[in-house]
Amino acid sequence: MSEHPAETLTPLLQQALPNVKGKTFTSAIVDFPPDASALPHRHGHAFVYAYVLEGTVRSKLDDKPVTTYHQGENWVEQPGAHHVLTENTSRTKPAKLLVVFVSNTGDKLKVDDPKS
């Protein structure tokens, strides 16, 4: 079995929300090289917004159907959601997301599932 390349997350801004005690706003760019996929993961108690800047990304949350998002499309993830699948659908072109987290201050933004 060949390993897929992994995604990379580049933080843009992290700011405590002045009017919401204990919450932090974080924005980041997530780059998916061609044929990349993320390990199944959760974002703790964060509310997550994702916007496709470039390329096409396939995503599956919890027991919902797999959905394909193209450049200019977006989705949200509720706190505690299990992100079962996130992958770049192209073997030749990169994909890029703008992701925004509203999280508990100090929480990890991404926790991969334990290896079984």
Side-chain angles (χ1 to χ4, degrees), residues 88-99:
N88 180 352
T89 62
S90 174
R91 294 179 176 273
T92 58
K93 296 179 183 163
K96 187 180 290 192
L97 302 174
L98 169 67
V99 181

Side-chain angles (χ1 to χ4, degrees), residues 52-65:
V52 183
L53 294 168
E54 178 183 322
T56 303
V57 174
R58 192 176 295 128
S59 177
K60 178 173 172 45
L61 295 170
D62 296 316
D63 58 356
K64 295 182 175 75

